[in-house]
Each structure stands twice: as structure tokens, then as C-alpha cells.
Coordinates of all heavy atoms in Angstrom, one line a residue:
Q5 N 129.4 173.9 167.9 CA 129.9 173.3 169.0 C 131.0 172.3 168.7 O 131.2 171.9 167.5 CB 128.8 172.7 169.9 CG 127.8 173.5 170.5 CD 126.6 172.7 171.1 OE1 126.3 171.6 170.6 NE2 126.1 173.4 172.1
D6 N 131.9 171.9 169.7 CA 132.9 170.9 169.3 C 132.3 169.6 169.7 O 132.0 169.3 171.0 CB 134.1 171.3 170.3 CG 135.1 170.2 170.2 OD1 135.0 169.3 169.4 OD2 136.1 170.3 170.9
P7 N 132.1 168.7 168.9 CA 131.6 167.4 169.1 C 132.3 166.6 170.1 O 131.7 165.8 170.9 CB 131.6 166.6 167.7 CG 131.7 167.7 166.7 CD 132.4 168.8 167.2
Y8 N 133.6 166.8 170.2 CA 134.5 166.1 171.1 C 134.1 166.5 172.5 O 134.6 165.7 173.5 CB 135.9 166.1 170.7 CG 136.2 165.6 169.4 CD1 136.3 166.3 168.2 CD2 136.3 164.1 169.2 CE1 136.5 165.8 167.0 CE2 136.5 163.6 168.0 CZ 136.6 164.4 166.8 OH 136.9 163.8 165.6
A9 N 133.6 167.7 172.6 CA 133.4 168.2 174.0 C 132.1 168.0 174.6 O 131.9 168.1 175.7 CB 133.7 169.8 174.0
V10 N 131.1 167.7 173.7 CA 129.7 167.6 174.1 C 129.2 166.2 174.2 O 128.0 165.8 174.5 CB 128.8 168.5 173.3 CG1 129.1 169.9 173.3 CG2 128.8 168.1 171.8
I11 N 130.0 165.2 173.6 CA 129.5 163.9 173.6 C 130.4 163.0 174.5 O 131.5 163.0 174.5 CB 129.7 163.3 172.1 CG1 128.7 164.1 171.1 CG2 129.3 161.8 172.0 CD1 128.9 163.7 169.8
G12 N 129.7 162.3 175.2 CA 130.4 161.3 176.2 C 129.7 161.2 177.4 O 128.5 161.9 177.8
P13 N 130.1 160.3 178.4 CA 129.4 160.2 179.6 C 129.3 161.4 180.5 O 130.3 162.2 180.8 CB 130.4 159.3 180.4 CG 131.1 158.5 179.3 CD 131.4 159.5 178.3
G14 N 128.0 161.8 180.9 CA 127.8 162.9 181.7 C 127.9 164.3 180.9 O 127.9 165.3 181.6
R15 N 127.9 164.2 179.6 CA 128.0 165.4 178.9 C 126.6 165.7 178.2 O 125.7 165.0 178.5 CB 129.1 165.3 177.8 CG 130.4 165.2 178.3 CD 131.6 165.0 177.2 NE 132.7 164.6 177.9 CZ 133.9 164.4 177.2 NH1 133.9 164.4 175.8 NH2 135.0 164.1 177.8
A16 N 126.5 166.7 177.4 CA 125.4 167.1 176.8 C 124.8 166.0 176.1 O 123.4 165.7 176.1 CB 125.5 168.3 175.8
F17 N 125.4 165.2 175.4 CA 124.9 163.9 174.8 C 125.5 162.8 175.6 O 126.7 162.5 175.4 CB 125.3 163.9 173.3 CG 124.8 162.7 172.5 CD1 123.5 162.8 172.1 CD2 125.5 161.6 172.3 CE1 122.9 161.7 171.5 CE2 125.0 160.5 171.6 CZ 123.7 160.5 171.1
D18 N 124.8 162.4 176.5 CA 125.2 161.4 177.4 C 125.4 160.0 176.8 O 124.4 159.1 177.0 CB 124.2 161.3 178.6 CG 124.8 160.5 179.7 OD1 126.1 160.2 179.9 OD2 124.0 160.2 180.8
W19 N 126.5 159.8 176.2 CA 126.8 158.4 175.6 C 127.6 157.8 176.4 O 128.2 158.2 177.4 CB 127.4 158.7 174.1 CG 127.4 157.5 173.2 CD1 128.5 156.8 172.8 CD2 126.2 157.1 172.5 NE1 128.0 155.9 172.0 CE2 126.7 156.0 171.7 CE3 124.9 157.4 172.5 CZ2 125.8 155.2 170.9 CZ3 124.1 156.6 171.7 CH2 124.6 155.5 170.9
H20 N 127.7 156.4 176.1 CA 128.6 155.4 177.0 C 130.0 155.8 176.8 O 130.8 155.3 177.8 CB 128.2 154.0 176.6 CG 126.8 153.8 176.4 ND1 126.0 153.7 177.5 CD2 126.0 153.3 175.3 CE1 124.8 153.5 177.1 NE2 124.7 153.2 175.8
W21 N 130.5 156.4 175.8 CA 132.0 156.6 175.6 C 132.1 157.9 174.9 O 131.1 158.4 174.2 CB 132.8 155.5 175.0 CG 131.9 155.0 173.7 CD1 132.0 155.5 172.4 CD2 131.0 153.8 173.7 NE1 131.2 154.9 171.6 CE2 130.6 153.7 172.3 CE3 130.7 152.8 174.6 CZ2 129.8 152.8 172.0 CZ3 129.9 151.9 174.2 CH2 129.4 151.8 172.8
P22 N 133.3 158.5 174.8 CA 133.4 159.8 174.0 C 133.3 159.6 172.6 O 133.3 158.5 172.1 CB 134.9 160.3 174.4 CG 135.2 159.6 175.8 CD 134.4 158.2 175.6
F23 N 133.3 160.8 171.9 CA 133.1 160.7 170.4 C 134.6 160.3 169.8 O 135.5 161.2 169.8 CB 132.6 161.9 169.8 CG 132.5 162.0 168.4 CD1 131.5 161.2 167.8 CD2 133.1 162.8 167.6 CE1 131.2 161.3 166.5 CE2 132.8 163.0 166.2 CZ 131.9 162.1 165.7
F24 N 134.7 159.2 169.2 CA 136.0 158.6 168.7 C 136.1 158.8 167.3 O 137.3 158.5 166.6 CB 136.3 157.2 169.1 CG 136.6 157.1 170.6 CD1 135.8 156.2 171.4 CD2 137.6 157.9 171.3 CE1 136.0 156.1 172.6 CE2 137.9 157.7 172.7 CZ 137.1 156.8 173.4
Y25 N 135.1 159.1 166.5 CA 135.0 159.3 165.0 C 135.9 160.3 164.6 O 136.0 161.4 165.3 CB 133.7 159.3 164.5 CG 132.8 158.2 164.7 CD1 132.1 157.8 165.8 CD2 132.6 157.3 163.4 CE1 131.3 156.7 165.9 CE2 131.8 156.2 163.6 CZ 131.1 155.8 164.6 OH 130.3 154.7 164.7
P26 N 136.5 160.3 163.4 CA 137.1 161.6 162.8 C 136.1 162.6 162.7 O 135.0 162.3 162.4 CB 137.8 161.0 161.6 CG 137.1 159.8 161.2 CD 136.6 159.2 162.6
L27 N 136.4 163.8 162.6 CA 135.4 164.9 162.3 C 134.9 164.8 160.9 O 133.7 165.4 160.8 CB 136.2 166.3 162.4 CG 135.3 167.4 162.5 CD1 134.5 167.4 163.8 CD2 136.2 168.8 162.6
T28 N 135.4 164.2 159.9 CA 134.8 164.0 158.7 C 133.5 163.0 158.8 O 132.6 163.3 158.0 CB 135.7 163.2 157.8 OG1 136.3 162.0 158.4 CG2 136.9 164.2 157.3
A29 N 133.4 162.4 159.9 CA 132.1 161.6 160.0 C 131.0 162.5 160.3 O 129.8 162.3 159.8 CB 132.3 160.5 161.2
A30 N 131.3 163.4 161.2 CA 130.2 164.5 161.5 C 129.9 165.3 160.3 O 128.7 165.7 160.0 CB 130.6 165.3 162.6
V31 N 130.9 165.7 159.6 CA 130.7 166.5 158.4 C 129.8 165.8 157.3 O 128.9 166.4 156.7 CB 132.1 167.0 157.7 CG1 131.8 167.6 156.4 CG2 132.7 167.9 158.6
A32 N 130.1 164.5 157.0 CA 129.4 163.6 156.1 C 128.0 163.5 156.5 O 127.1 163.2 155.5 CB 130.1 162.3 155.9
T33 N 127.6 163.3 157.8 CA 126.3 163.2 158.2 C 125.4 164.5 158.6 O 124.4 164.5 159.0 CB 126.3 162.2 159.4 OG1 127.2 162.9 160.5 CG2 126.8 160.8 159.0
M34 N 126.0 165.6 158.2 CA 125.4 166.9 158.5 C 124.0 166.9 157.9 O 123.1 167.6 158.5 CB 126.3 168.0 158.2 CG 127.5 168.2 159.1 SD 128.4 169.8 158.7 CE 127.3 171.0 159.5
P35 N 123.7 166.4 156.6 CA 122.3 166.5 156.2 C 121.3 165.9 157.2 O 120.2 166.3 157.1 CB 122.3 165.6 154.9 CG 123.8 165.8 154.5 CD 124.5 165.7 155.6
F36 N 121.7 164.9 158.0 CA 120.8 164.3 159.0 C 120.5 165.2 160.1 O 119.6 165.0 161.0 CB 121.4 162.9 159.4 CG 121.4 161.8 158.4 CD1 122.5 161.7 157.6 CD2 120.3 161.0 158.1 CE1 122.6 160.7 156.6 CE2 120.3 160.1 157.2 CZ 121.5 160.0 156.5
A37 N 121.4 166.2 160.3 CA 121.4 167.0 161.5 C 119.9 167.7 161.6 O 119.5 168.1 162.7 CB 122.4 168.1 161.6
A38 N 119.4 168.0 160.4 CA 118.1 168.8 160.4 C 116.9 167.9 160.8 O 115.7 168.5 160.9 CB 117.9 169.4 159.0
L39 N 117.2 166.6 160.9 CA 116.1 165.7 161.3 C 116.0 165.3 162.7 O 117.0 165.5 163.4 CB 116.2 164.4 160.4 CG 116.3 164.5 159.0 CD1 116.6 163.2 158.3 CD2 115.1 165.1 158.3
S40 N 114.9 164.9 163.1 CA 114.8 164.4 164.6 C 115.7 163.1 164.6 O 116.0 162.6 163.6 CB 113.3 164.2 164.8 OG 112.8 163.0 164.1
A41 N 115.8 162.7 165.9 CA 116.6 161.5 166.0 C 116.0 160.3 165.4 O 116.6 159.5 164.7 CB 116.8 161.2 167.6
L42 N 114.6 160.3 165.5 CA 113.9 159.1 165.0 C 113.8 159.1 163.5 O 114.3 158.1 162.9 CB 112.5 159.1 165.5 CG 111.6 157.9 164.9 CD1 112.1 156.6 165.3 CD2 110.2 158.0 165.4
A43 N 113.7 160.2 162.9 CA 113.6 160.4 161.5 C 115.0 160.1 160.8 O 115.2 159.5 159.8 CB 113.2 161.8 161.1
A44 N 116.1 160.5 161.5 CA 117.4 160.3 161.0 C 117.6 158.7 161.1 O 118.3 158.2 160.2 CB 118.3 161.1 161.9
R45 N 117.3 158.1 162.2 CA 117.5 156.6 162.4 C 116.8 155.9 161.1 O 117.5 155.1 160.5 CB 116.9 156.2 163.6 CG 117.7 156.6 164.8 CD 116.8 156.3 166.1 NE 117.5 156.7 167.3 CZ 116.9 156.7 168.5 NH1 115.6 156.4 168.5 NH2 117.5 157.1 169.6
C46 N 115.5 156.3 161.0 CA 114.7 155.5 159.9 C 115.4 155.7 158.5 O 115.5 154.9 157.7 CB 113.3 156.0 159.9 SG 112.4 155.6 161.4
L47 N 115.7 157.1 158.2 CA 116.2 157.4 156.9 C 117.5 156.6 156.7 O 117.8 156.1 155.6 CB 116.5 158.9 156.6 CG 117.0 159.3 155.3 CD1 116.1 158.9 154.2 CD2 117.1 160.9 155.3
F48 N 118.5 156.7 157.7 CA 119.8 156.1 157.5 C 119.7 154.5 157.4 O 120.3 153.9 156.5 CB 120.7 156.3 158.8 CG 122.0 155.7 158.8 CD1 123.0 156.1 157.9 CD2 122.1 154.6 159.7 CE1 124.2 155.5 158.0 CE2 123.3 153.9 159.6 CZ 124.3 154.3 158.8

């Protein structure tokens, strides 16, 4: 999926604002994608 299309107010990931990070941020954190939200938070 396109992170910029699914993150933001009223979107699949209902965040307070759109995804403003560069795409490299998502690429760098991909190892955390396999974890649950809580596990990723704790590990990070």
C-alpha cells in the first residue's frame, strides 16, 4: 500500500495528520512491521 494514502484523518490509520515523513522512514522501520503495535512500541 501507499503509506501516504492510508495514514491521516479518516483514513485506514486514523491519525491526527497525514504522513509527512520521507519514505525512507517507513523503509528503515520495516523490521517493526512484523510486530504488534504494543511490541513495536516496547522494543523501540
Side-chain angles (χ1 to χ4, degrees):
Q5 300 173 326
D6 179 5
Y8 299 99
V10 298
I11 298 175
R15 300 178 184 177
F17 186 79
D18 190 13
W19 196 253
H20 311 295
W21 47 80
F23 185 62
F24 292 123
Y25 287 84
L27 195 61
T28 48
V31 173
T33 53
M34 287 186 78
F36 292 92
L39 304 174
S40 67
L42 179 62
R45 292 168 182 169
C46 293
L47 181 59
F48 175 73

